[in-house]
Each structure stands twice: as structure tokens, then as C-alpha cells.
Amino acid sequence: MTVGSSRARQARGQRLRKELYAELSITQLETRRVLNGDGVASELVVDAGEASGDGQGDTFQIGINEGQVEVSVNGELVSSVSQSEIDTITIQGTSDDDTVMADLGVGMLDKIDINVQGGEGQDSLRVITNEYLESIIHSINHSNTGPHSQIQFNQLDASITLGGMENVDYDSSTNQFVVQIEGGSHDVTLDQDTASGRNRLEILNTSDVSESTTLSFASPESRLEIDTRSGEGLDQDRVSLHGLEATFDADLVITGDQTDSFHLTGDTGLGHG
């Protein structure tokens, strides 16, 4: 009896090891869990695996489904983990033109930080929220390593950190939208797509024209603020209002240093809504 039980346990152990190895061999290039100081897996890291750098743009999707955080790469589900088990999701982009879609639903942002590193190429992020937000603060810094951003959402503790993401599209409703710009001199242009009514804010680093960030967003309910203050007054930022329709009912506030300037370069219905 003892020998039989021992052999059964060995066989069961070998079978479990084979099953575990088979599972890891599928996912090890796409997802990994990072342990915190207590030995708990608190960060989910996702990359494109073998599809990285193959000349084809990759699509990453983050969503939440019945308390499970799900991440897909190019339409294939690569991770599904309980929302309570992680506090950070990191997306590692490729040298291709990548697209990241973050469908945050309701409440996900209050629990999980998101870190998106776009890598090379022209990369895009789409942020979708199903809850009304009191304010969105998008801080942009054009450093020597490319555009970096941090997105914060009013009273929520979590945030989104971006590296090398050139385009950010907000599918969100908010009372206030604040854009803070620093890290050199910039040409900043605000205009509006007359067909969709969405606003487009382009931030171009004048010392390196290859570094630019474009934000697309619906009009906030009460206030849009563009803040180009650097604190030292050494940068020369130029903010241009190319045109806003009369349907834009929010207050427009532009704050800068003495070396910054503001220009009207097109027709605008601002103030006539």
C-alpha cells in the first residue's frame, strides 16, 4: 500500500508539472507577475511576445469583466486575473505602431495603476470610462527620451503613466479637463473637428519636432485649462487657438509664464454658445 501510494503521488506530481510547464510555455513571453515585498504578485506585465517588432502594429486591450481584469493582445486573451490581486498593469509596447485600448468601466481606476510604455513607432492610447469624472489632469513632459505623460482622475488614487505614446484619445465625460505641459518649449494648437465636435490638442516640442503628443477629447462640461508654466520662465511656449464651435460651452483658461504667448489663428465661436 505504501509503495502504491508513493507511485501514485509521483505520477500525479509529474502530470501536474507537465500541465504547469505547458501553461507557462504558452504565456511566458506575453505575461508575467511581479512580486511585491510581501511575496504577493501585485503587478501584471504584458508584452506582445513573438509578435514584437515584426513590422505589424500590435493591439493591446485592457478591460474588466465581473471583477476580472482581462488583457488581450491582438485579439487573444493572454491574462484574466481578479481585480483584487493586482495593483498595477504594465503594457510593454514594441517598435511597431501599437494601439492600446483601456476600457476601464466603473471603479477600476480607483484600484489599479496602469503603465503603458509605447516604445518606438507612432503609438496610440484610447481611454474609455463609463463613469462621470469630476476632473482629468493630463501632465506632459517632453524629455530627451520622448514624450512622457501622467493622467490623474480627480479623487481617485490610481493613475495612468505613459511613455512614448504620441496619441491619446479620451472617450470620457468630465467636468474639468486640465493639460499641464513642461519640459522645453512647445507649439500648442487647439482646434475642433466640426464633424464630430471633438477637440484636438497638439503639443509639439520645438527643439525636437519628432516629439509630439496629440490629445483628442470631448468638450468638458465646465472648464478646459491649458497650463504651460515651467516655474523657471525659461521656456517659450506658443499656444494657438485655431477654432472652436459655438457648441463649446466650457470656460477656456490658458495659464503660462511671461515668455509664453497666445494667438488666435482661425475663426472661433467661443463665447457665443
Side-chain angles (χ1 to χ4, degrees), residues 1-245:
M1 294 295 293
T2 303
V3 174
S5 299
S6 175
R7 289 177 177 174
R9 285 195 298 270
Q10 290 178 357
R12 186 166 57 250
Q14 290 175 351
R15 185 175 65 254
L16 291 174
R17 282 194 295 272
K18 289 180 180 179
E19 291 174 355
L20 177 60
Y21 179 79
E23 180 181 356
L24 290 176
S25 66
I26 294 173
T27 62
Q28 64 180 350
L29 295 179
E30 297 173 335
T31 68
R32 58 187 172 90
R33 302 286 291 278
V34 179
L35 305 182
N36 63 18
D38 298 325
V40 179
S42 60
E43 180 181 6
L44 178 66
V45 182
V46 180
D47 62 40
E50 296 180 356
S52 297
D54 61 357
Q56 301 293 322
D58 298 298
T59 299
F60 300 81
Q61 291 181 287
I62 304 170
I64 186 166
N65 181 19
E66 297 182 351
Q68 293 289 114
V69 177
E70 298 181 341
V71 182
S72 299
V73 179
N74 297 324
E76 179 181 353
L77 181 66
V78 298
S79 180
S80 178
V81 61
S82 173
Q83 185 175 354
S84 62
E85 293 181 9
I86 58 173
D87 54 33
T88 304
I89 300 172
T90 295
I91 303 294
Q92 295 180 336
T94 72
S95 58
D96 305 318
D97 296 342
D98 299 322
T99 299
V100 179
M101 299 180 62
D103 189 346
L104 306 177
V106 177
M108 181 174 173
L109 281 171
D110 204 18
K111 302 179 183 297
I112 300 175
D113 291 315
I114 297 176
N115 177 21
V116 181
Q117 299 301 314
E120 300 176 5
Q122 290 291 315
D123 303 311
S124 301
L125 169 70
R126 185 183 179 195
V127 180
I128 304 170
T129 60
N130 294 334
E131 57 185 316
Y132 181 80
L133 300 170
E134 175 59 30
S135 67
I136 298 174
I137 302 174
H138 190 126
S139 302
I140 299 172
N141 190 322
H142 283 147
S143 65
N144 294 330
T145 57
H148 295 269
S149 297
Q150 185 174 52
I151 306 169
Q152 296 176 307
F153 303 84
N154 55 300
Q155 76 275 13
L156 303 180
D157 293 332
S159 63
I160 300 178
T161 301
L162 307 177
M165 300 297 292
E166 287 77 17
N167 304 287
V168 180
D169 183 9
Y170 286 94
D171 189 351
S172 305
S173 297
T174 183
N175 186 43
Q176 300 182 70
F177 191 89
V178 180
V179 182
Q180 299 172 337
I181 305 167
E182 58 182 20
S185 300
H186 301 86
D187 278 338
V188 182
T189 303
L190 174 64
D191 61 13
Q192 193 173 59
D193 185 339
T194 55
S196 66
R198 292 179 60 80
N199 307 296
R200 181 175 181 270
L201 186 66
E202 182 180 28
I203 302 102
L204 177 67
N205 186 353
T206 56
S207 61
D208 186 350
V209 294
S210 65
E211 292 186 3
S212 65
T213 302
T214 300
L215 310 181
S216 175
F217 54 95
S219 299
E221 185 173 329
S222 67
R223 179 185 176 98
L224 171 62
E225 180 177 353
I226 301 172
D227 185 351
T228 60
R229 290 174 295 181
S230 64
E232 299 178 353
L234 300 178
D235 301 331
Q236 296 182 355
D237 297 307
R238 173 188 171 100
V239 180
S240 300
L241 177 59
H242 184 67
L244 290 177
E245 296 298 314

